[in-house]
Amino acid sequence: MKYSLSVILASTLFFVGCKKKTQPTPEPTAREIAVEDYNTNYLGSAVPNTGWTGNTANCNAGSLPQTTHDKVIQRINYFRRLVGLNDNTTLDPSKFAMYQETALMMKANNALSHTPPSTWTCYTQAGADGAATSNIALGAGAADAVTMFINDPGASNTAVGHRRWILHSAKTQFSYGSTNSSMALGVIGTAGGNTQIPEFIAYPPKGYIPQTLTFPRWSFGIPGANFTNATVTMTGPSGNVPLTIVSTAGSYGDKTIVWEPQGILTNATDDVSYTVTVSGITGAPQSSYTYSTILFKP
């Protein structure tokens, strides 16, 4: 059968006009964003080998490769973003050498001190100066130490000072030094001036958080607030959550209240939500704040 040109053109136009419309890609949910952030920026900032070039035998503080620097600040910014703070902080390389000396001293003496004595192995004045202005860790280096600081375990860390310095609202810069098993994170005397400050700085934060990064001590801070007479209540899947307030003081970063809840589910298959209310606050825009934290399995 023969077709005229006009018929062929009409047929072509008909089929073109009936093409299926492309559906718009749905916006990711808050949970999906949290999962992707964890996979990309928390797991993605792991440092299997710090690349430290020093050694304790010769008291050589050594140095670290740029790849390690990048991972450390990536993990710091992940935790800051998690609580709603600015996630564009940078590292000050002018202080790397000082903090390398600090990290070396901690490793060489297998001890931690913000005021190390001059009798210490591998002692230097630069290392001592760094010890006085940094978070210090032993048993972990580079990005792993950052997570240790956020966890802030131990009887002497009830005020979670290490966490508070990393989540200090004003921060725009840090510096650090690390061996393969010790770390000094410069937090005092580093640049500030950040103005991207949420209404409160809670850890675990409002919204979604991986259950693997939910630690025994919970904290809630507001710059300039007073928590001396504050109270905390929590509810979860089984109702009221027993808790103990362990700190309302400490001059680390922003003013913060810290508590230890009991029975938190950090190994559930399904998401688990906890609602927190902090009341009796003075020196803040509100005297009471309520928010929910949702733990998910990565």
Side-chain angles (χ1 to χ4, degrees), residues 50-286:
T50 63
W52 179 51
T53 63
N55 63 77
T56 56
N58 299 321
C59 291
N60 176 9
S63 61
L64 299 162
Q66 186 62 46
T67 51
T68 299
H69 299 331
D70 293 343
K71 297 297 186 181
V72 167
I73 198 63
Q74 181 182 7
R75 184 157 295 188
I76 289 171
N77 282 326
Y78 167 79
F79 280 115
R80 289 181 68 85
R81 180 169 55 254
L82 199 60
V83 302
L85 284 165
N86 58 313
D87 59 356
N88 59 350
T89 65
T90 59
L91 293 173
D92 180 0
S94 71
K95 297 180 179 179
F96 283 172
M98 175 176 69
Y99 290 120
Q100 280 300 132
E101 294 285 350
T102 305
L104 172 69
M105 288 167 56
M106 304 302 150
K107 179 178 176 66
N109 294 276
N110 194 33
L112 295 174
S113 175
H114 289 293
T115 56
S118 59
T119 54
W120 264 23
T121 301
C122 299
Y123 177 91
T124 61
Q125 186 59 53
D129 292 343
T133 58
S134 62
N135 284 352
I136 47 178
L138 188 62
D144 284 345
V146 174
T147 302
M148 182 184 288
F149 293 141
I150 294 293
N151 183 351
D152 236 353
S156 62
N157 294 320
T158 53
V160 295
H162 303 92
R163 176 191 298 176
R164 288 161 64 174
W165 278 123
I166 291 176
L167 304 180
H168 185 200
S169 61
K171 284 285 183 289
T172 59
Q173 198 169 55
F174 297 86
S175 194
Y176 86 110
S178 182
T179 69
N180 58 344
S181 61
S182 62
M183 202 261 218
L185 178 66
V187 295
I188 298 175
T190 52
N194 170 56
T195 57
Q196 183 184 317
I197 303 172
E199 62 176 343
F200 55 80
I201 302 164
Y203 196 94
K206 174 183 177 179
Y208 288 92
I209 182 173
Q211 60 185 210
T212 51
L213 298 180
T214 303
F215 303 120
R217 288 176 181 146
W218 292 41
S219 57
F220 178 97
I222 298 174
N226 186 329
F227 294 97
T228 302
N229 298 313
T231 61
V232 180
T233 57
M234 287 181 63
T235 57
S238 300
N240 291 331
V241 176
L243 60 87
T244 303
I245 294 175
V246 295
S247 176
T248 58
S251 55
Y252 315 103
D254 298 307
K255 299 300 183 183
T256 299
I257 186 170
V258 186
W259 66 97
E260 296 176 349
Q262 304 301 311
I264 299 300
L265 298 175
T266 57
N267 58 357
T269 301
D270 297 327
D271 294 354
V272 182
S273 180
Y274 292 94
T275 298
V276 178
T277 297
V278 183
S279 304
I281 307 166
T282 59
Q286 299 173 204

